[in-house]
Amino acid sequence: MIKINDLQKSFRTEEIETVALNGVSLHVAEGEFIAIMGPSGCGKSTLLNILGLLDNPTSGEYFLADTEVGHLKEKQRTDMRKGNIGFVFQSFNLIEEMNVYENVELPLVYLKVKASERKQRVEEALKRMNISHRAKHFPNQLSGGQQQRVAIARAVVANPKLILADEPTGNLDSKNGKDVMSLLSELNKEGTTIVMVTHSQHDSTFAHRVINLFDGQIVSEVESKM
Ligand code: ADP
Ligand code: ADP
């Protein structure tokens, strides 16, 4: 599903150069659930942004389902993301002006799915995430746990093969965090590949493999006992 070879990423601001990733190589098989851990500033978000085609590496290769995608133009990256990658963020990133239904529908609008099919798929995703009763509510009328369930519904509504999650339980209490992890785990068991950045030891127990990053490099990998 994912193959990255010797990925480097540096940021230049004024005359200061920051090396965020320094030779990262990683293979993720289809259907795997990977957790990426490491201290603040070690490059986790940078890696997830590159995997999610939100940014290009400075050098190195990135194959997504056998296509080299490490050097695409922004427009090509946007096209490649649609329907292929679902995102879940710590801060939910829902659109405040849209209700729950409209937020979840948005990826299908971008994909030009026709209205009748959109309705069916949105309803199905809301039902799966146990949030149908809130379809007409706006994000600021929902608890954090509810907002994250909406965000997961939005991430899965287009049936992507890959979900990228950046600290998905970071803003949730433990009960809601557990619910969110159960939902992600269920999606993974149905075949969706998941790469998740987390600080939570508990969340990492859901992954098949934990990758530890430090100063922009992979320093260890631990297979789960599950
Ligand atoms: P983490 O997610 O592990 O906290 P990041 O990937 O956000 O780490 O950051 C890795 C390093 O790259 C840090 O030193 C950070 O300051 C730097 N960095 C990240 N994004 C940028 C950017 N857009 N411009 C300059 N430096 C950046
Ligand atoms: P549910 O079990 O229905 O998903 P939660 O346990 O997530 O609900 O939240 C408990 C209740 O508190 C819900 O009815 C929710 O709407 C309400 N609630 C939580 N936070 C807020 C908020 N910031 N604004 C309005 N209502 C909220």
Side-chain angles (χ1 to χ4, degrees):
M1 181 94 223
I2 290 173
K3 281 184 196 162
I4 58 177
N5 296 320
D6 199 17
L7 219 61
Q8 310 267 345
K9 178 70 181 180
S10 41
F11 296 100
R12 192 179 294 278
T13 38
E14 305 290 312
E15 64 272 28
I16 302 162
E17 191 182 39
T18 307
V19 178
L21 297 177
N22 187 11
V24 172
S25 298
L26 176 66
H27 291 196
V28 180
E30 199 171 329
E32 251 194 303
F33 189 157
I34 300 284
I36 298 173
M37 301 187 81
S40 181
C42 73
K44 302 182 296 296
S45 298
T46 302
L47 179 57
L48 212 63
N49 287 344
I50 292 172
L51 293 178
L53 301 175
L54 298 167
D55 202 357
N56 275 343
T58 307
S59 67
E61 295 175 313
Y62 174 17
F63 292 90
L64 179 61
D66 293 326
T67 308
E68 218 289 325
V69 294
H71 305 86
L72 301 178
K73 303 241 184 323
E74 190 168 345
K75 167 79 170 75
Q76 296 171 300
R77 291 205 304 268
T78 305
D79 288 344
M80 184 68 88
R81 279 201 301 273
K82 284 183 200 165
N84 290 320
I85 306 177
F87 292 90
V88 179
F89 301 95
Q90 176 175 13
S91 51
F92 322 128
N93 290 18
L94 299 172
I95 297 176
E96 297 294 332
E97 296 74 23
M98 290 185 169
N99 69 28
V100 163
Y101 186 99
E102 291 160 344
N103 266 282
V104 175
E105 186 181 31
L106 205 55
L108 301 180
V109 174
Y110 288 142
L111 282 168
K112 301 189 168 64
V113 173
K114 67 174 173 7
S116 59
E117 192 183 334
R118 289 207 303 268
K119 182 167 187 292
Q120 188 197 331
R121 286 167 70 173
V122 172
E123 283 172 357
E124 202 177 295
L126 293 177
K127 200 169 160 201
R128 280 216 61 187
M129 298 305 146
N130 308 316
I131 197 73
S132 305
H133 59 303
R134 300 284 170 178
K136 293 281 160 52
H137 286 70
F138 287 84
N140 70 6
Q141 298 173 310
L142 302 177
S143 69
Q146 292 171 331
Q147 289 187 62
Q148 196 61 301
R149 299 208 306 272
V150 175
I152 298 174
R154 180 183 59 183
V156 301
V157 75
N159 287 323
K161 281 197 137 64
L162 175 64
I163 288 184
L164 300 177
D166 197 348
E167 298 200 38
T169 67
N171 277 324
L172 302 179
D173 61 25
S174 66
K175 153 101 177 50
N176 282 300
K178 279 180 188 151
D179 289 349
V180 159
M181 288 313 302
S182 303
L183 290 167
L184 290 175
S185 188
E186 233 173 77
L187 292 167
N188 172 251
K189 290 197 173 87
E190 290 163 19
T192 310
T193 308
I194 300 183
V195 179
M196 168 181 75
V197 164
T198 185
H199 278 117
S200 155
Q201 210 64 46
H202 173 264
D203 290 1
S204 76
T205 61
F206 287 84
H208 303 138
R209 194 150 56 107
V210 179
I211 308 286
N212 291 298
L213 269 186
F214 190 78
D215 285 353
Q217 297 187 312
I218 294 177
V219 289
S220 64
E221 280 194 32
V222 184
E223 300 279 336
S224 155
K225 289 170 282 286
M226 280 173 82

